[in-house]
Amino acid sequence: MIPDNKTNKLFLADCLPKKQPIFFQRFEKVLTACNIQYSFLPNTKDIWAVDFMPVQINKDEFVQFTYNPDYLHPKKYHKTISDVDSICKAIKLKPKKSNLIVDGGNVSRTTDKVIMCDKVFHENKNLSEKEVIKQLRQLFQVDKLYFVPWDINDFTGHADGMVRFINNNTVLINDYSKENAAFQRCFRMSLHNAGLDWIELPYSPPKDSTFTSARGLYLNYLQMKQAIIVPTFKTNYDEKALKVLEQVFKRTAITTIDSNELADHGGILNCITWNITAPVLA
């Protein structure tokens, strides 16, 4: 697997400037300042590029999972599902296809390990857990595949809002100290059983009865070879989160961007970006 800090090519949904014009203007300036060039994915219907695009396995191998998450099953959301086959053809990418239902945002990876939220089993009820694990290991080409419990407050069930790799042995996680005690224990135990150490990042979700907003979720940063871009929310937690990340990634350029309006739609920076190590693409 290719970790985020080795990626050097960025793609964004071509509908992002239209759907989030004010945010995009800021984001474009930050990308330029970080020397990150980007291209648009053509004919997209939603901004969450990481979720519907293929997962990169190595420089020239990609896996295109089936993008059919349960939260998009209501008819009103069908119009937001992009034609991934058409997009891949347009950028001259030929991924390997899988019938497994997996969102790219539920794949947190390093060179030889992958962590996913166990919602993947809920999405693939037609298969046994053993079969899902077997197929995922084969597709990801890793033996070390771990699962963290689904925080049901997050309807997406994405790992990229829960855990991110710092290196092969250590991960960043949210400070869940104000969350359900049973969930906290289960989450930490899953990391302990995986042999992983962890560092906590400030976490300050809003009091939102719909659990839609992603405000306060600093963990959903964009990480590339060139830099790390951290979402901020104009709260007292911004500086605390930045200090933790600067301590963790001492040799990496780190910058921030106000992400409130984007977060109110349920995702942040890792969600809107598809960053890869560039193979031969258009």
Side-chain angles (χ1 to χ4, degrees):
M1 299 293 287
I2 296 178
D4 287 329
N5 64 357
K6 300 298 182 183
T7 60
N8 57 16
K9 176 66 175 177
L10 178 65
F11 286 88
L12 305 171
D14 64 351
C15 63
L16 180 62
K18 181 179 179 180
K19 291 180 178 290
Q20 292 288 327
I22 297 175
F23 171 82
F24 179 74
Q25 288 180 6
R26 291 200 306 274
F27 192 42
E28 190 173 38
K29 290 179 181 178
V30 172
L31 291 174
T32 299
C34 293
N35 196 31
I36 297 175
Q37 297 180 346
Y38 67 89
S39 299
F40 283 122
L41 299 168
N43 302 316
T44 56
K45 296 182 179 180
D46 210 343
I47 65 176
W48 314 118
V50 72
D51 291 332
F52 58 77
M53 288 302 290
V55 175
Q56 186 171 28
I57 307 304
N58 56 53
K59 188 174 181 180
D60 295 306
E61 285 188 85
F62 294 76
V63 174
Q64 181 183 333
F65 291 100
T66 299
Y67 184 56
N68 186 31
D70 57 3
Y71 56 86
L72 294 184
H73 286 181
K75 189 175 180 179
K76 65 180 180 179
Y77 295 122
H78 292 182
K79 63 183 179 181
T80 70
I81 300 177
S82 300
D83 183 345
V84 183
D85 287 339
S86 175
I87 295 171
C88 288
K89 183 178 180 180
I91 63 173
K92 299 181 180 179
L93 181 67
K94 295 181 179 180
K96 180 177 182 179
K97 292 188 178 183
S98 169
N99 290 325
L100 287 178
I101 298 173
V102 175
D103 295 356
N106 194 24
V107 181
S108 185
R109 65 195 187 275
T110 186
T111 53
D112 65 343
K113 300 180 178 74
V114 172
I115 296 179
M116 303 181 71
C117 172
D118 62 10
K119 187 173 184 280
V120 67
F121 301 118
H122 173 80
E123 296 277 22
N124 295 277
K125 292 179 180 178
N126 60 312
L127 300 174
S128 68
E129 292 183 359
K130 285 186 177 180
E131 180 61 25
V132 172
I133 292 171
K134 176 183 177 182
Q135 291 189 33
L136 287 171
R137 281 178 170 163
Q138 291 174 343
L139 292 165
F140 290 144
Q141 300 178 24
V142 297
D143 292 323
K144 299 172 183 177
L145 175 63
Y146 307 121
F147 300 92
V148 294
W150 177 18
D151 178 0
I152 59 174
N153 289 334
D154 174 15
F155 62 90
T156 66
H158 289 174
D160 67 352
M162 303 175 72
V163 55
R164 300 284 297 272
F165 278 98
I166 297 172
N167 53 47
N168 281 12
N169 302 307
T170 309
V171 293
L172 272 169
I173 65 172
N174 295 316
D175 176 1
Y176 282 126
S177 59
K178 296 180 181 179
E179 302 300 307
N180 177 274
F183 169 76
Q184 291 183 52
R185 287 194 301 272
C186 189
F187 180 70
R188 289 184 174 83
M189 188 58 66
S190 66
L191 297 176
H192 173 76
N193 290 341
L196 296 170
D197 195 4
W198 61 83
I199 295 173
E200 293 182 338
L201 193 62
Y203 177 57
S204 59
K207 294 180 180 179
D208 173 18
S209 60
T210 68
F211 298 104
T212 299
S213 176
R215 292 193 186 206
L217 185 56
Y218 300 96
L219 197 63
N220 201 267
Y221 51 79
L222 168 64
Q223 181 179 23
M224 296 185 64
K225 186 175 182 179
Q226 297 94 319
I228 293 175
I229 304 176
V230 182
T232 55
F233 308 98
K234 295 182 179 178
T235 74
N236 294 333
Y237 288 89
D238 290 352
E239 186 175 351
K240 297 176 182 178
L242 187 58
K243 284 183 178 179
V244 172
L245 291 168
E246 287 175 341
Q247 184 65 29
V248 169
F249 299 108
K250 293 181 179 179
R251 298 181 180 179
T252 305
I254 298 177
T255 190
T256 63
I257 182 171
D258 176 16
S259 302
N260 278 309
E261 65 264 59
L262 184 63
D264 285 343
H265 291 272
I268 323 182
L269 302 183
N270 192 67
C271 301
I272 64 167
T273 51
W274 187 56
N275 49 305
I276 64 174
T277 293
V280 179
L281 293 176

